[in-house]
Amino acid sequence: MEKRIPLIIDCDPGVDDALALKMAFSSPKLDIRLLCSVAGNVSIRLTTANALFLTKKYGGDIPVARGSASPLSRQATDASGVHGASGIGDYVIPAHDYKLDSEDGVEAIYEALKAAGEKLTLITLGPLTNIAALLERHPDAASLLGRVYAMIASVDGTGNITEYAEFNACCDPEALAAVVASGAEIVFAPMHLGRVAKLAQQDILEKGRGTEFGEMLAQIFRGYRDDAAGEGYVAMYDANAVEALLRPEQYDFIRCTAEVNVTDKPGQTFLRPDGEGKCFYLEIKDPSALAEAMLSDLFPG
Ligand code: RIB
Ligand code: CA
């Protein structure tokens, strides 16, 4: 069997985060060393509660840490209008005795990087606050980080939370700018992919019929509102960051440079093809093939 990919996941669950996490937890290709929450779709209290439950229930004994409660220098915003007040639709997390492994996610990420003895891949599904704070507090972390697969940004200066900014970039533009400036090799899963890689809720529920996860999703979807995906669909924004690692053959990786606006249009980004660029952005090769792959990665076996 191929060596499993050692990695850290940073997320703000979030309905599409919950789906992306299940794909990651279900894959034998991944060796997830740590999962860290960040404020984003909803408050850090709720993203941490969601991340803790989802990881321990569906990921097993993966350590979970609480990350940053607010952006580097801005007020926290949220997307509860899309993901529901709790961040996971109408689902109510049952009583459990799972415990957080760390209350300081930035330090937990740093410790995991130092302990690995090799570079760790990073998947980010929310604002980049934790990663920027890590690089600011521990500059040597840059040399310990492998590729960063990030659902964030837009290729063309458009947005889904404002007309010009994608949500994760808009939450903490300074954090995104800092991670880009650090020279990290970022594979961007940009906003428009979430409109191409969208799954019908009915198809997901059909595939998950009779499973506990499928039952949970039915309640999650009841409280999910995303007009970008259209009635009855889920915009699989975050899943693209995971699938790019699990199934790179489903994507074109386009070498690029990244520009981040932190002034008059905070969070506006441009990802421009550039053969000399340090980063990449993804384009989906065959949307229907990817949709099929996402469904099977959600419910393997
Ligand atoms: O713009 C989409 C991103 O914002 C996704 O990560 C979604 O979960 C929200 O965090
Ligand atoms: Ca997210």
Side-chain angles (χ1 to χ4, degrees):
M1 180 173 161
E2 275 173 49
K3 180 178 180 302
R4 295 194 303 158
I5 303 167
L7 85 149
I8 292 171
I9 299 178
D10 195 78
C11 57
D12 64 333
V15 173
D16 61 321
D17 302 68
L19 293 164
L21 291 177
K22 177 66 166 56
M23 290 171 177
F25 296 151
S26 304
S27 171
K29 294 179 185 172
L30 303 183
D31 170 12
I32 306 169
R33 303 288 175 85
L34 173 71
L35 191 127
C36 191
S37 62
V38 65
N41 282 317
V42 286
S43 69
I44 191 64
R45 179 178 67 81
L46 291 168
T47 58
T48 304
N50 299 338
L52 178 62
F53 176 74
L54 290 166
T55 304
K56 299 293 187 182
K57 176 88 178 165
Y58 293 104
D61 62 352
I62 299 168
V64 179
R66 179 199 307 273
S68 305
S70 58
L72 294 181
S73 57
R74 292 176 186 262
Q75 289 292 319
T77 55
D78 82 18
S80 52
V82 169
H83 299 267
S86 73
I88 45 175
D90 286 354
Y91 183 70
V92 177
I93 293 174
H96 60 76
D97 58 0
Y98 303 137
K99 297 279 183 288
L100 270 182
D101 300 270
S102 166
E103 297 281 349
D104 185 339
V106 172
E107 288 313 301
I109 293 172
Y110 186 50
E111 291 309 316
L113 289 170
K114 286 193 297 180
E118 60 184 318
K119 288 195 174 190
L120 292 186
T121 298
L122 175 63
I123 290 179
T124 66
L125 307 177
L128 294 183
T129 312
N130 292 333
I131 316 311
L134 168 75
L135 294 167
E136 194 178 5
R137 243 192 256 176
H138 303 291
D140 63 310
S143 65
L144 303 173
L145 257 187
R147 239 184 197 184
V148 180
Y149 290 79
M151 190 285 133
I152 197 166
S154 308
V155 292
D156 58 0
T158 59
N160 58 357
I161 191 75
T162 66
E163 63 183 287
Y164 53 73
E166 177 279 321
F167 181 79
N168 290 333
C170 190
C171 276
D172 200 340
E174 287 76 12
L176 174 54
V179 177
V180 168
S182 77
E185 186 178 76
I186 306 169
V187 176
F188 287 90
M191 178 186 78
H192 70 286
L193 300 193
R195 292 156 181 186
V196 175
K198 61 182 187 180
L199 295 184
Q201 294 172 26
Q202 210 35 54
D203 291 345
I204 297 174
L205 297 179
E206 190 50 46
K207 192 94 178 166
R209 189 177 301 283
T211 67
E212 193 180 49
F213 185 64
E215 293 311 309
M216 180 177 88
L217 289 178
Q219 292 169 52
I220 287 180
F221 291 159
R222 268 201 283 279
Y224 171 71
R225 305 273 176 282
D226 188 332
D227 54 11
E231 188 61 33
Y233 282 85
V234 184
M236 301 297 280
Y237 295 110
D238 289 339
N240 283 299
V242 175
E243 292 288 27
L245 186 56
L246 294 180
R247 299 172 180 267
E249 72 285 354
Q250 294 278 351
Y251 299 88
D252 288 316
F253 286 62
I254 294 150
R255 194 171 279 281
C256 70
T257 55
E259 178 193 331
V260 187
N261 184 315
V262 295
T263 53
D264 60 327
K265 293 183 177 178
Q268 184 179 49
T269 55
F270 291 92
L271 302 176
R272 297 185 177 97
D274 179 336
E276 305 299 312
K278 173 86 180 165
C279 299
F280 298 88
Y281 72 81
L282 300 166
E283 288 292 4
I284 295 167
K285 285 181 177 170
D286 177 345
S288 52
L290 180 62
E292 219 172 287
M294 285 184 170
L295 269 179
S296 71
D297 289 345
L298 262 179
F299 301 99

